[in-house]
Amino acid sequence: MTSDSAATATERTGARTSEAADLISGARDRIDALDDRIIGLVQERMAVSAVIQEARITSGGRRVNLSREMEILSHYRGALGKPGTALAMTLLELCRGRV
């Protein structure tokens, strides 16, 4: 790494050494790849949820099953703590809209 690119990498990452900048850059690349996978999974979850909602409504049921949503909230809270509840609420909103 040249001194110019090292300076740029350290500025971009906030690191104080080129070694730390390299580590951070690699880790950020991994996070970007994980984010892409998460987005894809959320989109897949939205599609599956739409199928479930359509089947429920077509059969004369309600669009939302609140007891199922409570199970989902509990699952996320159990796995991720209090922030898991907020994440689950966001996923539920994305998948079924606001109630």
Side-chain angles (χ1 to χ4, degrees):
M1 183 180 290
T2 67
S3 62
D4 286 342
S5 62
T8 303
T10 56
E11 288 171 9
R12 191 175 68 247
T13 63
R16 302 237 177 201
T17 66
S18 60
E19 294 80 14
D22 289 345
L23 182 113
I24 292 167
S25 292
R28 284 182 177 171
D29 288 344
R30 174 113 166 112
I31 284 175
D32 290 345
L34 289 167
D35 285 344
D36 288 343
R37 288 173 49 198
I38 291 167
I39 290 166
L41 289 169
V42 169
Q43 290 170 331
E44 183 178 349
R45 189 188 194 289
M46 291 168 68
V48 172
S49 182
V51 169
I52 292 168
Q53 285 183 43
E54 179 66 26
R56 191 181 301 117
I57 292 167
T58 301
S59 72
R62 293 180 170 192
R63 181 173 64 92
V64 175
N65 181 336
L66 294 178
S67 64
R68 174 64 179 148
E69 289 196 359
M70 294 307 294
E71 289 175 15
I72 293 165
L73 290 169
S74 178
H75 179 73
Y76 274 77
R77 184 175 45 252
L80 302 172
K82 186 176 178 182
T85 303
L87 176 60
M89 286 298 296
T90 299
L91 283 171
L92 290 170
E93 188 174 327
L94 281 168
C95 292
R96 53 101 164 107
R98 288 188 176 270
V99 176

